[in-house]
Amino acid sequence: MTAGSIPQDSVYRLSRHGDVDVEPGVVDFAVNVRGEAPEFVRAAIVDACAHLASYPSAAHADTAIAAICALHQRDPSEVMLLAGAADGFEMLPRLGSRHAALVQPSFTEPEIALRAAGIPITQVELPPPWRIDPDDIADRVPDDADLVVVGNPTNPTSVLHSRAALDAMRRPGRILVVDEAFADLTVDAVTGEREPESLASMRADDVVVIRSVTKTFGLAGLRAGYLLASPEVVERLNRGRRPWPLSTPALAALAECVGPAGQRFCDDAAHAVAAERDFMLERLALAGIRVCTPPTAPFILIEMPNGIAVKNALRAAGFGVRSCANFVGLDGDRLRLAVRDNATVTAMIDALARARKDVDDDA
């Protein structure tokens, strides 16, 4: 099927995301957002709504930036506020890249933004289990690639790459962009340290880190995140940017999420995700469903023959899951499942097993 012939609602369309698989009455395993926003964030949003008649102020932005700086030991000149991580990907063409390399499979929005700007792209497809080998990756990335984009942990594989693996892709004249949208829920299995491979606090001229608070804090509808880079890179990205890129409620929410209360919430959420993910892995194994690679993020990649048909049957049963048909290096025989609470997971996997059997019987 050629790109031009792909229907707009097709699972193969590059811009298709999991939200289209969720509707009222469907239990959501397709979108990696953790429930509703916590009360302290909701309270900050409500308070900010008292200022909706005014434009977002510099004071509101400065408060959010100060909280980000305190969390990551950065200078305000190294911070750029974003209306969600996708906002940061949309601005990557401003870096003036002549050749971008995308470590795949990974989130599709960077490719969409770079292609729209006419920037040549090389797909650096990792073989299963999709982990970067520090001794091999330098040979996979073209020497003349002056921009490299990688997810860590990667969506949809749930693989967390080591700092050594990321460092192996750096070289003079190249900018490394790391998508850390799910990093705040990663935990070292041995030490219990949160965000063990994050580069957010590393100050380097050639590294850009893009972060989101919408996933962990249930704020996908608000759009809030931030970018960390050298002052020179931040200045380049800011040139020509529209005024007031974040609303006053988004600024208030962002400050709370990266502040002390938000980080305590993340600590609890990260360990809850780890426990729920372990239960989910056990249930998948009991159902005879193969997990493609050990997961580290709040989602799991599974192998599912006739996956698109199974996904459709599962949706008819009231559960929405994400097909991986439109990820480079994957196909329709793999599905991404968001991590949920134990009771909801049990119901979904029972339905998944029935859907798989029904599809196999009809094949």
Side-chain angles (χ1 to χ4, degrees):
M1 179 179 290
T2 64
S5 66
I6 295 175
Q8 285 302 298
D9 62 346
S10 171
V11 294
Y12 297 97
R13 179 167 50 87
L14 195 62
S15 60
R16 189 183 198 277
H17 299 298
D19 59 309
V20 300
D21 290 309
V22 182
E23 58 192 21
V26 173
V27 181
D28 178 15
F29 280 83
V31 180
N32 299 314
V33 174
R34 295 287 298 175
E36 299 294 327
E39 182 54 38
F40 69 93
V41 175
R42 296 168 70 92
I45 293 170
V46 170
D47 289 345
C49 287
H51 305 283
L52 291 183
S54 303
Y55 286 98
S57 71
H60 287 122
D62 289 345
T63 297
I65 290 172
I68 293 166
C69 290
L71 176 61
H72 298 298
Q73 298 85 52
R74 306 292 288 243
D75 185 84
S77 63
E78 299 173 297
V79 178
M80 183 176 189
L81 302 180
L82 302 174
D87 187 25
F89 300 132
E90 186 178 345
M91 286 184 287
L92 291 181
R94 297 184 181 191
L95 295 175
S97 173
R98 296 181 301 277
H99 181 187
L102 307 181
V103 180
Q104 302 283 16
S106 193
F107 187 47
T108 57
E109 286 302 317
E111 179 176 353
I112 291 171
L114 293 167
R115 287 200 183 282
I119 296 172
I121 288 173
T122 293
Q123 308 284 18
V124 182
E125 292 189 36
L126 301 176
W130 306 290
R131 297 184 181 280
I132 296 174
D133 181 349
D135 297 325
D136 171 65
I137 192 64
D139 293 331
R140 290 180 175 272
V141 178
D143 289 341
D144 66 342
D146 55 5
L147 183 72
V148 176
V149 184
V150 61
N152 205 38
T154 298
N155 175 15
T157 61
S158 202
V159 167
L160 184 64
H161 304 295
S162 69
R163 294 185 189 182
L166 300 177
D167 193 59
M169 293 187 289
R170 298 169 62 194
R171 63 175 51 197
R174 172 184 293 170
I175 293 177
L176 175 68
V177 178
V178 187
D179 172 11
E180 292 192 359
F182 298 99
D184 57 3
L185 291 182
T186 58
V187 177
D188 187 290
V190 176
T191 67
E193 174 193 5
R194 195 159 58 83
E195 303 190 19
E197 307 297 344
S198 172
L199 300 186
S201 297
M202 186 181 80
R203 307 176 81 168
D205 292 341
D206 63 332
V207 175
V208 174
V209 174
I210 295 177
R211 306 271 299 204
S212 171
V213 299
T214 62
K215 311 296 192 301
T216 299
F217 291 89
L219 296 172
L222 193 67
R223 314 309 301 141
Y226 54 97
L227 179 150
L228 303 166
S230 70
E232 188 271 337
V233 168
V234 169
E235 182 182 1
R236 288 164 64 187
L237 292 173
N238 262 321
R239 289 175 192 157
R241 195 180 190 198
R242 70 184 189 277
W244 314 293
L246 271 71
S247 68
T248 301
L251 291 170
L254 181 55
E256 286 295 322
C257 293
V258 299
Q263 293 310 293
R264 289 193 295 271
F265 177 85
C266 279
D267 287 339
D268 293 340
H271 288 93
V273 164
E276 291 171 357
R277 188 174 59 222
D278 285 346
F279 176 85
M280 195 167 174
L281 291 171
E282 291 174 4
R283 294 293 306 192
L284 289 166
L286 287 172
I289 296 170
R290 180 178 176 272
V291 173
C292 297
T293 189
T296 61
F299 45 89
I300 297 172
L301 183 69
I302 64 169
E303 186 175 287
M304 185 57 58
N306 301 310
I308 295 174
V310 172
K311 179 188 84 72
N312 293 337
L314 192 57
R315 185 168 181 172
F319 295 90
V321 299
R322 175 73 154 91
S323 169
C324 293
N326 67 336
F327 288 97
V328 173
L330 297 179
D331 54 39
D333 288 340
R334 292 185 175 92
L335 303 175
R336 190 193 69 193
L337 310 176
V339 173
R340 298 290 187 245
D341 66 88
N342 294 359
T344 307
V345 162
T346 297
M348 185 277 294
I349 293 178
D350 288 346
L352 177 59
R354 291 193 297 270
R356 179 181 59 174
K357 182 179 184 302
D358 290 344
V359 169
D360 287 346
D361 289 345
D362 291 341

